[in-house]
Amino acid sequence: MSRTIMAAVMRLVNRSSLSSAMGQKYVAFSSTAKVKAAGLRAGQGLPEKVKIVEVGPRDGLQNEKTMVPTETKINLIDMLSASGLPVIEATSFVSPKWVPQMADQVEVMKGINRKPGVSYPVLTPNLKGFQAAIKAGASEIAIFGAASELFSKKNINCSVDESLQRFDEVMKAAKDAGIPVRGYVSCVLGCPYEGMVAPEKVAHVAKRLYSMGCYEISLGDTIGVGTPGSMTKMLEAVSREVPVNALAVHCHDTYGQALANILVALQMGISVVDSSVAGLGGCPYAQGASGNVATEDVVYMLHGLGIQTGVDLSKLIDAGAFICRTLNRKTNSKVAQATCKL
Amino acid sequence: MGNVPHTVKHCLSYEQLIQDYPRLKRWLLEEKTNTGHEYPEFVKIVEVGPRDGLQNEKEIVPTGVKIQLIDMLSGTGLAVIEATSFVSSKWVPQMADHTDVLRGIQRAPHVRYPVLTPNMQGFQDAVAAGATEVAVFGSASETFSKKNINCSIDESMLRFEEVINTAKEKQIPVRGYVSCALGCPHEGYIQPSKVSEVAKRLYELGCYEISLGDTIGVGTPGSMLKMLQSVMKEVPTNALAMGVCVVDSAVAGLGGCPYAQGSSGNVSTEDVLYMLHGMGIETGVNLAKVIEAGDFICNALRRETNSKVAKARGRTL
């Protein structure tokens, strides 16, 4: 189809099918062309429900300078369970030699009060970790791959393909045991070593993880450099290879872009968002910078948009206040900072 | 491509088109990314740090520091920098040095330095000090208006009318602000129709641009959308700020929130720039220089920056 005919077709379709809800000069040609004027979700094609995956106890605490006692971790997870979060990443079965903050993985797993209906996935970097996780009672695990070759080499000393091969045996064991596996892709919008990361590369890794058997792929902007434009491009590439309802976004707020990036992801059909209570977790690649987006701020935005999460924001804020007191640090959540209650 | 005219004849909706020609979807997505029609090509940033920012900081900053901050910002490419406020120093001691600041700054060519003028007295002082652009502040909330400036919205409009008419005579442009556009600390939710009513009045009185302020930062993308849809029916889009192609922000996110103890206030200019530049939107502003100006003022205020971008570049105190 030639470009000129295509352009003519588009103009015709634009004029007739889209209402001038925004009175814009250009009518936005989005994939959800039914622009509804009414309603808070106002035709942006936003989902009715969003599943929040709480990564504070693992991703968050793993990247905090202060080490937290086992009891505190258990208490935090129990408070998060009570707030209505459907998924809480509990711990990581990685060798304590590498990640001392997660050395109490077994005690944490055994100590938490598992709320019915809530999942508690744990990271398992290899078969040994997987076996230890199952023994400790895990019923969901997670594996990860990088979208950047250099990041993979510097982080885990092998290429991306090699890292995914290593997970083959974990995947097989998980399948045999009937354990669902979540896949993480890091550096989806930029790499601290390579800089720009091609969307096609992200799509390739996401597709590999999905075809290996991961039920969901969480796309992580590891250093938080993404902006709505690059997020859109990346999601367009990935959603051609993996169904959008199997995708999640894991945005870091290192450059203050997380909520904007999450919003465009929602507009593109994503309905699973990873976040960390109180914005726990710094950034190992940028001294003094922030990391994870705060769950409180995400929930505030989603509820404001009329999107259901099942989360009780005030209980969540309580959990955040608790962990910040224990860590003796200020919260990274703007919502928690604001005491003005409207 | 012979069947295209046939398609165009019987299909009037995008969905029908996609149903008949599923491969079209991929082409259309590519077209969208190529042309990028959804966002403006250029966004004008209105820097409110030296006024709105410093006015809401606990520490009062010496005149010399204010002047230096504005001079640094003038070198970044920012086209509009709110310099100070000609309000009685009894009410806003942080802005008591308004005349000295306006006289002391080095005005860069092509940069505008609007100042707040809540009434005729302030306007006259501003003009005497050399102001070439002024701003007036209306509220979308009656209670906020009464508590803040001791009069109703209607009464405040009468005051502004006087200022705007005199400004017109002197050919001084006036920018209008509407506060509490997405919520009020006293009234709670504010009806979009009230916001558009106030915006329309300011526009009709003669303000060349209306800045819609989410004063307590409670808005979310949904309420923002609803409010803008309402206002856009009354005020031309190119005369609107916030969300269209003019955005107010403050260097280093200066300015807390007087209504929520300990909370943050203005969005940081650095973070806004980072987003816009990342999206391929031009601003004419040099981010690195804004970060430097932010460092400077945070050092002077002995406080950490509120800008995530500045933090990520490793420039915390």
Side-chain angles (χ1 to χ4, degrees):
Chain A
M1 219 186 240
S2 83
R3 289 254 140 193
T4 40
I5 297 175
M6 179 58 64
V9 168
M10 276 172 58
R11 277 195 293 274
L12 200 81
V13 169
N14 268 340
R15 273 205 301 274
S16 58
S17 69
L18 297 170
S19 72
S20 57
M22 291 290 290
Q24 292 164 321
K25 280 207 295 205
Y26 297 108
V27 179
F29 202 96
S30 73
S31 59
T32 49
K34 304 185 282 265
V35 177
K36 299 184 192 77
L40 279 171
R41 294 198 303 278
Q44 296 178 79
L46 297 177
E48 272 181 30
K49 290 197 175 105
V50 163
K51 177 175 86 176
I52 306 241
V53 174
E54 171 60 47
V55 302
R58 202 282 307 168
D59 189 5
L61 293 183
Q62 180 171 316
N63 284 300
E64 286 287 326
K65 291 186 301 265
T66 324
M67 295 241 311
V68 154
T70 309
E71 261 321 299
T72 308
K73 285 187 187 133
I74 291 171
N75 208 356
L76 172 65
I77 295 172
D78 288 347
M79 287 181 87
L80 292 168
S81 298
S83 74
L85 287 159
V87 185
I88 303 166
E89 213 184 42
T91 186
S92 175
F93 282 81
V94 65
S95 160
K97 198 171 55 179
W98 299 121
V99 187
Q101 296 92 324
M102 299 284 128
D104 54 3
Q105 54 210 205
V106 177
E107 292 99 315
V108 169
M109 216 48 216
K110 290 197 166 142
I112 55 175
N113 262 329
R114 299 220 210 184
K115 189 170 168 208
V118 179
S119 305
Y120 300 89
V122 299
L123 244 67
T124 52
N126 48 39
L127 194 59
K128 186 153 166 259
F130 174 79
Q131 286 156 350
I134 298 304
K135 197 150 162 246
S139 42
E140 181 172 328
I141 62 155
I143 64 172
F144 43 89
S148 151
E149 287 294 340
L150 218 52
F151 189 84
S152 191
K153 289 215 171 70
K154 292 225 177 205
N155 241 34
I156 51 178
N157 238 334
C158 61
S159 75
V160 173
D161 277 340
E162 285 165 1
S163 75
L164 294 178
Q165 265 164 32
R166 283 185 197 176
F167 284 126
D168 272 339
E169 43 178 16
V170 175
M171 291 308 299
K172 183 171 185 310
K175 252 185 219 146
D176 291 342
I179 302 266
V181 184
R182 192 179 202 237
Y184 284 87
V185 185
S186 50
C187 295
V188 302
L189 296 177
C191 166
Y193 311 108
E194 277 186 16
M196 275 199 63
V197 173
E200 290 67 35
K201 182 74 181 180
V202 183
H204 169 79
V205 179
K207 186 177 182 180
R208 278 290 304 273
L209 286 166
Y210 188 67
S211 29
M212 279 163 75
C214 293
Y215 76 92
E216 192 170 89
I217 314 297
S218 172
L219 305 163
D221 181 11
T222 307
I223 46 172
V225 288
T227 52
S230 58
M231 171 64 85
T232 304
K233 282 207 161 98
M234 185 274 295
L235 286 177
E236 276 169 359
V238 177
S239 55
R240 284 183 207 133
E241 308 292 342
V242 180
V244 77
N245 57 11
L247 293 175
V249 289
H250 183 122
C251 297
H252 277 204
D253 203 34
T254 321
Y255 289 83
Q257 308 300 303
L259 285 180
N261 292 341
I262 290 170
L263 184 63
V264 298
L266 295 176
Q267 288 169 337
M268 294 194 66
I270 304 285
S271 59
V272 185
V273 175
D274 297 4
S275 57
S276 175
V277 63
L280 289 180
C283 178
Y285 306 99
Q287 198 64 274
S290 59
N292 283 306
V293 67
T295 307
E296 298 93 315
D297 299 0
V298 174
V299 170
Y300 183 92
M301 178 176 80
L302 295 175
H303 288 183
L305 280 165
I307 296 174
Q308 293 173 40
T309 63
V311 178
D312 180 329
L313 181 53
S314 54
K315 288 192 175 154
L316 181 62
I317 292 177
D318 286 345
F322 162 74
I323 192 63
C324 287
R325 268 198 311 274
T326 326
L327 286 167
N328 201 16
R329 60 160 274 176
K330 271 171 69 174
T331 179
N332 263 348
S333 155
K334 294 258 167 135
V335 168
Q337 271 173 44
T339 51
C340 178
K341 308 225 190 282
L342 260 200
Chain B
M1 281 303 294
N3 53 5
V4 168
H6 167 70
T7 309
V8 160
K9 256 187 264 173
H10 91 265
C11 296
L12 291 177
S13 73
Y14 170 69
E15 285 85 343
Q16 194 61 51
L17 210 56
I18 292 303
Q19 227 175 292
D20 286 352
Y21 300 94
R23 286 185 68 205
L24 255 186
K25 196 167 188 186
R26 194 192 163 126
W27 289 77
L28 297 172
L29 281 174
E30 281 174 343
E31 185 72 34
K32 173 192 159 192
T33 3
N34 290 341
T35 54
H37 275 172
E38 274 188 54
Y39 303 110
E41 277 179 19
F42 183 90
V43 165
K44 175 175 87 176
I45 304 264
V46 174
E47 171 60 44
V48 302
R51 203 283 306 168
D52 190 4
L54 292 183
Q55 178 171 319
N56 284 301
E57 287 287 328
K58 289 188 303 274
E59 287 219 20
I60 296 193
V61 152
T63 310
V65 170
K66 283 189 186 125
I67 290 171
Q68 194 172 340
L69 172 65
I70 295 170
D71 287 345
M72 285 180 88
L73 291 168
S74 295
T76 62
L78 285 160
V80 186
I81 303 168
E82 215 185 39
T84 186
S85 175
F86 283 82
V87 65
S88 159
S89 48
K90 197 172 55 180
W91 301 121
V92 186
Q94 296 92 326
M95 298 284 128
D97 54 3
H98 39 63
T99 303
D100 293 332
V101 168
L102 203 49
R103 291 220 174 113
I105 56 175
Q106 285 188 33
R107 301 214 203 186
H110 312 303
V111 182
R112 288 157 39 196
Y113 301 90
V115 297
L116 246 69
T117 52
N119 48 37
M120 275 311 290
Q121 180 67 55
F123 178 79
Q124 279 152 358
D125 292 344
V127 173
T132 45
E133 180 169 329
V134 299
V136 294
F137 260 78
S139 171
S141 154
E142 282 292 355
T143 317
F144 189 83
S145 190
K146 291 209 176 71
K147 292 215 177 214
N148 232 38
I149 51 176
N150 240 332
C151 63
S152 71
I153 296 176
D154 281 342
E155 285 162 359
S156 73
M157 289 295 148
L158 289 174
R159 283 187 206 169
F160 300 146
E161 196 173 358
E162 224 194 326
V163 171
I164 295 171
N165 285 341
T166 320
K168 259 187 218 160
E169 283 165 26
K170 295 188 186 296
Q171 298 192 316
I172 291 182
V174 184
R175 191 177 202 238
Y177 286 82
V178 182
S179 54
C180 296
L182 296 177
C184 165
H186 315 292
E187 282 183 25
Y189 180 68
I190 296 292
Q191 289 296 335
S193 52
K194 189 69 184 175
V195 183
S196 40
E197 189 192 307
V198 177
K200 183 179 180 179
R201 286 189 65 184
L202 286 169
Y203 186 69
E204 283 171 348
L205 283 175
C207 293
Y208 75 90
E209 191 171 88
I210 313 297
S211 172
L212 305 163
D214 181 11
T215 306
I216 46 174
V218 288
T220 52
S223 57
M224 170 64 83
L225 188 65
K226 269 183 136 168
M227 185 273 293
L228 285 178
Q229 281 170 340
S230 178
V231 176
M232 280 175 184
K233 287 185 196 131
E234 310 291 347
V235 181
T237 319
N238 58 10
L240 285 179
M242 178 63 108
V244 186
C245 51
V246 185
V247 175
D248 298 5
S249 56
V251 62
L254 288 179
C257 178
Y259 306 99
Q261 197 66 273
S263 62
S264 59
N266 283 306
V267 67
S268 310
T269 302
E270 297 94 315
D271 298 0
V272 174
L273 286 173
Y274 184 91
M275 180 178 81
L276 296 175
H277 292 175
M279 291 165 73
I281 296 173
E282 309 241 358
T283 62
V285 184
N286 182 323
L287 175 54
K289 289 193 172 159
V290 176
I291 293 177
E292 272 177 39
D295 283 350
F296 164 74
I297 193 61
C298 286
N299 268 320
L301 285 167
R302 286 190 303 271
R303 62 161 272 177
E304 267 190 49
T305 179
N306 262 348
S307 157
K308 294 258 169 138
V309 170
K311 269 197 206 125
R313 301 283 170 101
R315 307 237 195 173
T316 38
L317 280 177

